[in-house]
Amino acid sequence: MTGKPLTILGIETSCDETAAAVVRGQIPGPGEILSNIVFSQTEAHAPYGGVVPEIASRAHLEILDDIIEQALDQAKVCVAELDGIAATAGPGLIGGVMVGLTTAKAIALGAGKPLIAVNHLMGHALTARLTHGVAFPYLLLLVSGGHCQLLGVGGADDFRLYGSTIDDAVGEAFDKTAKILGLSYPGGPAVEHAAKTGNSRAYDLPRPLLNRRDEARADFSFSGLKTAVRQLAQRHVSVADASAGFQAAVIDILYDRSRLAMAMFRRDFPGANTFVLAGGVAANQAIGTALTQLCKEEGFITRIPPPRLCTDNAAMIAWAGVERLTDGAGGSALSVSPRARWPLATGPI
Ligand code: KG4
Ligand code: ZN
């Protein structure tokens, strides 16, 4: 790809991270992250054991201006030098999305720059291009607090769904398991840490849908596993062993479903062999190691962004802005609305 690299400000406020970043780059990447500021509201939500939407949107409103200023300062870029302003327009907690998107609209309008309304999931889905310059097509396992999907990614706007969760998202299962076991919020890192000293075979936990091959989908289910952990916790069990058992069951499920999706992906894209892991749960080292092993067995190359680019951040939103402005779709209308729900396959707005 030749041409001038684009410099984009990204804004992310869809959950409990208030984030702004400046990224410079051109497709297919890798891009240069000039700044990446993430303010985590964890402390404000911790007493409630989960994100409280009203607290989140107020906190975004209080701090976002300052975070954007820090991102621009650290990048040594002024608004006039930007090629566009990208902000998460959904899916997510609507109050928070409104704060980020409205702020982006104001900056874009004031500076006469394009606004890019970004799908948060697209941000996660394209991060491996920002970090590794991964070419299309690739198989993507997107695992976050709200989503668990296997997708064939044929282009920045070509997503083929091979499977998704029929109940809980995998990050949600980690968070609920942590709560049941009395571990701290957010649950994913706490369960991973506790699992390190545990025996994964101490308790027999279910692996729903494992080895299911009777349909043309690689779907996931985690609610039975969560219920089993709840029942287990009613006895006096070792938190480390229960965490290790839960994480091992999750790994078995992700491994089996990803292997099934690899066959579907190969049918759609003969000869392609890149497997990308993205979303907050991709920060889990044990999951990364297991899926890297699967890729070795199946002849795939694994690409996993570094942990701080797996969990929510604005660099991935800025990068999605680079992709959008490059692919000719252009900027979004200033009248664009925030969306609480926004499946990946719907296309740009
Ligand atoms: O992508 P993300 O930051 O936010 C959403 O878009 O949902 O993902 C957050 C989720 C949370 O459920 C969190 O517990 C999980 O990712 N997570 C982890 C780890 N780090 C974050 N799950 C397992 N192991 C981790 N190390
Ligand atoms: Zn996310």
Side-chain angles (χ1 to χ4, degrees):
M1 183 83 198
T2 53
K4 181 181 153 294
L6 298 175
T7 305
I8 305 285
L9 169 68
I11 296 172
E12 159 59 39
T13 56
S14 67
C15 193
D16 59 344
E17 263 89 30
T18 313
V22 179
V23 165
R24 181 170 290 153
Q26 51 191 328
I27 62 168
E32 197 185 342
I33 299 173
L34 302 182
S35 63
N36 186 21
I37 313 286
V38 180
F39 173 76
S40 177
Q41 303 174 2
T42 306
E43 259 178 50
H45 301 285
Y48 307 95
V51 181
V52 183
E54 186 63 25
I55 293 177
S57 46
R58 281 166 187 260
H60 288 307
L61 193 58
E62 276 167 22
I63 203 171
L64 182 60
D65 286 358
D66 191 44
I67 297 288
I68 292 171
E69 211 169 291
Q70 283 184 43
L72 291 168
D73 281 356
Q74 215 177 82
K76 296 190 173 53
V77 166
C78 62
V79 173
E81 292 167 305
L82 294 171
D83 293 298
I85 293 93
T88 299
L93 301 173
I94 198 71
V97 175
M98 281 166 66
V99 171
L101 184 59
T102 306
T103 304
K105 284 181 182 183
I107 300 172
L109 182 65
K113 304 282 179 182
L115 167 78
I116 308 115
V118 171
N119 182 320
H120 178 88
L121 300 175
M122 189 181 283
H124 281 304
L126 301 177
T127 303
R129 285 165 63 78
L130 164 63
T131 56
H132 295 83
V134 171
F136 297 125
Y138 51 86
L139 176 62
L140 171 71
L141 174 60
L142 178 53
V143 275
S144 71
H147 295 83
C148 184
Q149 299 182 330
L150 277 157
L151 298 141
V153 185
D157 202 23
D158 174 6
F159 296 94
R160 302 170 195 207
L161 188 64
Y162 298 138
S164 62
T165 181
I166 58 171
D167 39 57
D168 295 346
V170 61
E172 196 181 350
F174 267 98
D175 294 336
K176 286 180 181 167
T177 293
K179 206 168 175 177
I180 292 167
L181 296 176
L183 294 170
S184 61
Y185 166 84
V191 171
E192 179 175 21
H193 185 71
K196 283 197 175 114
T197 54
N199 170 10
S200 64
R201 298 203 186 131
Y203 310 115
D204 193 22
L205 289 167
R207 278 125 171 92
L209 301 188
L210 199 76
N211 297 322
R212 167 97 58 102
R213 294 284 184 275
D214 54 351
E215 55 204 297
R217 282 179 63 92
D219 284 336
F220 305 84
S221 169
F222 295 103
S223 79
L225 177 57
K226 177 191 63 192
T227 306
V229 173
R230 182 168 291 129
Q231 284 164 353
L232 197 62
Q234 281 160 3
R235 310 192 330 241
H236 286 287
V237 292
S238 145
V239 170
D241 289 350
S243 297
F246 166 80
Q247 188 170 274
V250 167
I251 287 173
D252 283 353
I253 296 167
L254 295 179
Y255 185 100
D256 177 70
R257 304 285 93 188
S258 299
R259 194 168 54 183
L260 183 57
M262 281 173 176
M264 298 174 179
F265 175 74
R266 283 202 157 120
R267 224 170 296 137
D268 280 351
F269 302 102
N273 66 345
T274 306
F275 180 84
V276 170
L277 196 54
V281 181
N284 183 297
Q285 302 297 310
I287 291 175
T289 304
L291 292 172
T292 302
Q293 179 57 33
L294 168 67
C295 286
K296 266 193 202 134
E297 287 163 19
E298 297 287 330
F300 273 76
I301 298 161
T302 327
R303 292 283 180 255
I304 310 174
R308 60 182 264 106
L309 294 172
C310 286
T311 49
D312 284 350
N313 65 87
M316 69 180 191
I317 303 303
W319 176 259
V322 170
E323 300 255 7
R324 257 294 289 288
L325 280 188
T326 311
D327 76 5
S332 311
L334 281 176
S335 57
V336 66
S337 298
R339 296 178 171 193
R341 300 178 64 80
W342 188 1
L344 252 186
T346 10
I349 56 174

mmCIF file of all heavy atoms in Angstrom, residues 288-312:
data_model
loop_
_atom_site.group_PDB
_atom_site.id
_atom_site.type_symbol
_atom_site.label_atom_id
_atom_site.label_comp_id
_atom_site.label_asym_id
_atom_site.label_seq_id
_atom_site.Cartn_x
_atom_site.Cartn_y
_atom_site.Cartn_z
ATOM 1 N N GLY A 288 -3.975 -18.428 25.457
ATOM 2 C CA GLY A 288 -3.096 -18.158 24.316
ATOM 3 C C GLY A 288 -2.180 -19.331 24.010
ATOM 4 O O GLY A 288 -2.005 -19.725 22.851
ATOM 5 N N THR A 289 -1.605 -19.917 25.069
ATOM 6 C CA THR A 289 -0.688 -21.051 24.879
ATOM 7 C C THR A 289 -1.427 -22.246 24.268
ATOM 8 O O THR A 289 -0.929 -22.892 23.339
ATOM 9 C CB THR A 289 -0.079 -21.452 26.245
ATOM 10 O OG1 THR A 289 0.546 -20.291 26.802
ATOM 11 C CG2 THR A 289 0.933 -22.563 26.109
ATOM 12 N N ALA A 290 -2.627 -22.534 24.792
ATOM 13 C CA ALA A 290 -3.382 -23.696 24.295
ATOM 14 C C ALA A 290 -3.772 -23.509 22.824
ATOM 15 O O ALA A 290 -3.673 -24.444 22.012
ATOM 16 C CB ALA A 290 -4.635 -23.904 25.141
ATOM 17 N N LEU A 291 -4.191 -22.310 22.464
ATOM 18 C CA LEU A 291 -4.624 -22.094 21.078
ATOM 19 C C LEU A 291 -3.422 -22.016 20.130
ATOM 20 O O LEU A 291 -3.537 -22.395 18.955
ATOM 21 C CB LEU A 291 -5.520 -20.862 20.985
ATOM 22 C CG LEU A 291 -6.866 -21.085 21.698
ATOM 23 C CD1 LEU A 291 -7.673 -19.811 21.778
ATOM 24 C CD2 LEU A 291 -7.695 -22.181 21.007
ATOM 25 N N THR A 292 -2.280 -21.595 20.633
ATOM 26 C CA THR A 292 -1.063 -21.616 19.816
ATOM 27 C C THR A 292 -0.694 -23.069 19.502
ATOM 28 O O THR A 292 -0.272 -23.400 18.383
ATOM 29 C CB THR A 292 0.097 -20.899 20.552
ATOM 30 O OG1 THR A 292 -0.324 -19.564 20.835
ATOM 31 C CG2 THR A 292 1.357 -20.855 19.718
ATOM 32 N N GLN A 293 -0.886 -23.939 20.492
ATOM 33 C CA GLN A 293 -0.619 -25.374 20.292
ATOM 34 C C GLN A 293 -1.573 -25.953 19.236
ATOM 35 O O GLN A 293 -1.149 -26.688 18.336
ATOM 36 C CB GLN A 293 -0.774 -26.100 21.642
ATOM 37 C CG GLN A 293 -0.541 -27.599 21.594
ATOM 38 C CD GLN A 293 0.839 -27.958 21.045
ATOM 39 O OE1 GLN A 293 1.812 -27.224 21.253
ATOM 40 N NE2 GLN A 293 0.924 -29.070 20.305
ATOM 41 N N LEU A 294 -2.855 -25.584 19.327
ATOM 42 C CA LEU A 294 -3.835 -26.040 18.333
ATOM 43 C C LEU A 294 -3.394 -25.608 16.930
ATOM 44 O O LEU A 294 -3.466 -26.393 15.976
ATOM 45 C CB LEU A 294 -5.223 -25.462 18.661
ATOM 46 C CG LEU A 294 -6.279 -25.612 17.565
ATOM 47 C CD1 LEU A 294 -6.651 -27.083 17.358
ATOM 48 C CD2 LEU A 294 -7.542 -24.798 17.881
ATOM 49 N N CYS A 295 -2.960 -24.351 16.821
ATOM 50 C CA CYS A 295 -2.542 -23.834 15.514
ATOM 51 C C CYS A 295 -1.376 -24.637 14.956
ATOM 52 O O CYS A 295 -1.330 -24.921 13.756
ATOM 53 C CB CYS A 295 -2.167 -22.352 15.629
ATOM 54 S SG CYS A 295 -3.612 -21.300 15.794
ATOM 55 N N LYS A 296 -0.442 -25.003 15.831
ATOM 56 C CA LYS A 296 0.703 -25.823 15.389
ATOM 57 C C LYS A 296 0.208 -27.144 14.817
ATOM 58 O O LYS A 296 0.650 -27.592 13.760
ATOM 59 C CB LYS A 296 1.627 -26.105 16.584
ATOM 60 C CG LYS A 296 2.756 -25.112 16.686
ATOM 61 C CD LYS A 296 3.829 -25.592 17.667
ATOM 62 C CE LYS A 296 4.598 -24.381 18.138
ATOM 63 N NZ LYS A 296 4.811 -24.357 19.584
ATOM 64 N N GLU A 297 -0.747 -27.757 15.531
ATOM 65 C CA GLU A 297 -1.274 -29.053 15.077
ATOM 66 C C GLU A 297 -2.018 -28.920 13.751
ATOM 67 O O GLU A 297 -1.980 -29.821 12.921
ATOM 68 C CB GLU A 297 -2.240 -29.621 16.135
ATOM 69 C CG GLU A 297 -1.531 -30.126 17.368
ATOM 70 C CD GLU A 297 -2.483 -30.299 18.560
ATOM 71 O OE1 GLU A 297 -3.716 -30.375 18.352
ATOM 72 O OE2 GLU A 297 -1.979 -30.333 19.699
ATOM 73 N N GLU A 298 -2.686 -27.804 13.543
ATOM 74 C CA GLU A 298 -3.551 -27.642 12.364
ATOM 75 C C GLU A 298 -2.899 -26.848 11.227
ATOM 76 O O GLU A 298 -3.547 -26.558 10.225
ATOM 77 C CB GLU A 298 -4.866 -26.956 12.774
ATOM 78 C CG GLU A 298 -5.703 -27.753 13.762
ATOM 79 C CD GLU A 298 -6.386 -28.957 13.131
ATOM 80 O OE1 GLU A 298 -6.700 -28.913 11.931
ATOM 81 O OE2 GLU A 298 -6.604 -29.954 13.842
ATOM 82 N N GLY A 299 -1.634 -26.455 11.412
ATOM 83 C CA GLY A 299 -0.936 -25.722 10.355
ATOM 84 C C GLY A 299 -1.355 -24.269 10.221
ATOM 85 O O GLY A 299 -1.294 -23.695 9.130
ATOM 86 N N PHE A 300 -1.765 -23.665 11.317
ATOM 87 C CA PHE A 300 -2.116 -22.238 11.320
ATOM 88 C C PHE A 300 -1.013 -21.432 12.010
ATOM 89 O O PHE A 300 -0.298 -21.939 12.866
ATOM 90 C CB PHE A 300 -3.435 -22.000 12.070
ATOM 91 C CG PHE A 300 -4.666 -22.134 11.216
ATOM 92 C CD1 PHE A 300 -5.139 -23.387 10.832
ATOM 93 C CD2 PHE A 300 -5.374 -21.009 10.804
ATOM 94 C CE1 PHE A 300 -6.269 -23.523 10.053
ATOM 95 C CE2 PHE A 300 -6.508 -21.132 10.027
ATOM 96 C CZ PHE A 300 -6.968 -22.387 9.641
ATOM 97 N N ILE A 301 -0.911 -20.165 11.635
ATOM 98 C CA ILE A 301 -0.016 -19.219 12.317
ATOM 99 C C ILE A 301 -0.867 -18.437 13.309
ATOM 100 O O ILE A 301 -1.953 -17.966 12.957
ATOM 101 C CB ILE A 301 0.599 -18.233 11.288
ATOM 102 C CG1 ILE A 301 1.445 -18.987 10.274
ATOM 103 C CG2 ILE A 301 1.388 -17.129 11.971
ATOM 104 C CD1 ILE A 301 1.687 -18.165 9.012
ATOM 105 N N THR A 302 -0.392 -18.304 14.548
ATOM 106 C CA THR A 302 -1.178 -17.593 15.571
ATOM 107 C C THR A 302 -0.720 -16.145 15.699
ATOM 108 O O THR A 302 0.476 -15.875 15.721
ATOM 109 C CB THR A 302 -0.955 -18.229 16.969
ATOM 110 O OG1 THR A 302 -0.759 -19.616 16.807
ATOM 111 C CG2 THR A 302 -2.112 -17.958 17.891
ATOM 112 N N ARG A 303 -1.665 -15.244 15.797
ATOM 113 C CA ARG A 303 -1.337 -13.848 16.060
ATOM 114 C C ARG A 303 -2.198 -13.356 17.227
ATOM 115 O O ARG A 303 -3.428 -13.368 17.136
ATOM 116 C CB ARG A 303 -1.619 -12.980 14.828
ATOM 117 C CG ARG A 303 -0.690 -13.259 13.671
ATOM 118 C CD ARG A 303 0.680 -12.628 13.902
ATOM 119 N NE ARG A 303 1.596 -12.888 12.812
ATOM 120 C CZ ARG A 303 2.608 -13.755 12.849
ATOM 121 N NH1 ARG A 303 2.850 -14.453 13.950
ATOM 122 N NH2 ARG A 303 3.392 -13.913 11.811
ATOM 123 N N ILE A 304 -1.540 -12.954 18.318
ATOM 124 C CA ILE A 304 -2.259 -12.458 19.494
ATOM 125 C C ILE A 304 -1.680 -11.092 19.860
ATOM 126 O O ILE A 304 -0.489 -10.987 20.136
ATOM 127 C CB ILE A 304 -2.111 -13.423 20.704
ATOM 128 C CG1 ILE A 304 -2.437 -14.871 20.305
ATOM 129 C CG2 ILE A 304 -2.990 -12.958 21.865
ATOM 130 C CD1 ILE A 304 -2.178 -15.903 21.397
ATOM 131 N N PRO A 305 -2.496 -10.044 19.840
ATOM 132 C CA PRO A 305 -1.981 -8.730 20.249
ATOM 133 C C PRO A 305 -1.507 -8.771 21.705
ATOM 134 O O PRO A 305 -1.982 -9.598 22.479
ATOM 135 C CB PRO A 305 -3.199 -7.805 20.108
ATOM 136 C CG PRO A 305 -4.144 -8.524 19.197
ATOM 137 C CD PRO A 305 -3.920 -9.995 19.436
ATOM 138 N N PRO A 306 -0.584 -7.883 22.106
ATOM 139 C CA PRO A 306 -0.153 -7.838 23.505
ATOM 140 C C PRO A 306 -1.345 -7.543 24.420
ATOM 141 O O PRO A 306 -2.306 -6.881 23.985
ATOM 142 C CB PRO A 306 0.873 -6.708 23.540
ATOM 143 C CG PRO A 306 0.698 -5.957 22.270
ATOM 144 C CD PRO A 306 0.076 -6.870 21.279
ATOM 145 N N PRO A 307 -1.299 -8.038 25.695
ATOM 146 C CA PRO A 307 -2.459 -7.925 26.592
ATOM 147 C C PRO A 307 -3.095 -6.541 26.649
ATOM 148 O O PRO A 307 -4.316 -6.419 26.631
ATOM 149 C CB PRO A 307 -1.884 -8.322 27.957
ATOM 150 C CG PRO A 307 -0.791 -9.274 27.624
ATOM 151 C CD PRO A 307 -0.199 -8.790 26.328
ATOM 152 N N ARG A 308 -2.289 -5.447 26.673
ATOM 153 C CA ARG A 308 -2.954 -4.140 26.843
ATOM 154 C C ARG A 308 -3.671 -3.671 25.581
ATOM 155 O O ARG A 308 -4.420 -2.696 25.601
ATOM 156 C CB ARG A 308 -2.020 -3.069 27.414
ATOM 157 C CG ARG A 308 -0.815 -2.714 26.650
ATOM 158 C CD ARG A 308 -0.001 -1.665 27.420
ATOM 159 N NE ARG A 308 -0.270 -0.288 26.983
ATOM 160 C CZ ARG A 308 -0.965 0.597 27.660
ATOM 161 N NH1 ARG A 308 -1.504 0.295 28.819
ATOM 162 N NH2 ARG A 308 -1.135 1.817 27.201
ATOM 163 N N LEU A 309 -3.463 -4.390 24.468
ATOM 164 C CA LEU A 309 -4.238 -4.083 23.264
ATOM 165 C C LEU A 309 -5.356 -5.117 23.047
ATOM 166 O O LEU A 309 -6.152 -4.991 22.124
ATOM 167 C CB LEU A 309 -3.331 -3.999 22.041
ATOM 168 C CG LEU A 309 -2.338 -2.817 22.080
ATOM 169 C CD1 LEU A 309 -1.344 -2.907 20.946
ATOM 170 C CD2 LEU A 309 -3.076 -1.483 22.045
ATOM 171 N N CYS A 310 -5.389 -6.164 23.916
ATOM 172 C CA CYS A 310 -6.508 -7.119 23.884
ATOM 173 C C CYS A 310 -7.677 -6.561 24.675
ATOM 174 O O CYS A 310 -8.826 -6.608 24.240
ATOM 175 C CB CYS A 310 -6.094 -8.456 24.502
ATOM 176 S SG CYS A 310 -4.999 -9.427 23.461
ATOM 177 N N THR A 311 -7.386 -6.020 25.875
ATOM 178 C CA THR A 311 -8.461 -5.422 26.666
ATOM 179 C C THR A 311 -8.811 -4.059 26.045
ATOM 180 O O THR A 311 -8.076 -3.547 25.197
ATOM 181 C CB THR A 311 -8.021 -5.263 28.136
ATOM 182 O OG1 THR A 311 -6.749 -4.643 28.158
ATOM 183 C CG2 THR A 311 -7.926 -6.610 28.831
ATOM 184 N N ASP A 312 -9.933 -3.488 26.503
ATOM 185 C CA ASP A 312 -10.449 -2.285 25.835
ATOM 186 C C ASP A 312 -9.440 -1.138 25.826
ATOM 187 O O ASP A 312 -8.808 -0.848 26.838
ATOM 188 C CB ASP A 312 -11.751 -1.840 26.509
ATOM 189 C CG ASP A 312 -12.904 -2.739 26.107
ATOM 190 O OD1 ASP A 312 -12.719 -3.565 25.178
ATOM 191 O OD2 ASP A 312 -13.983 -2.612 26.706
#
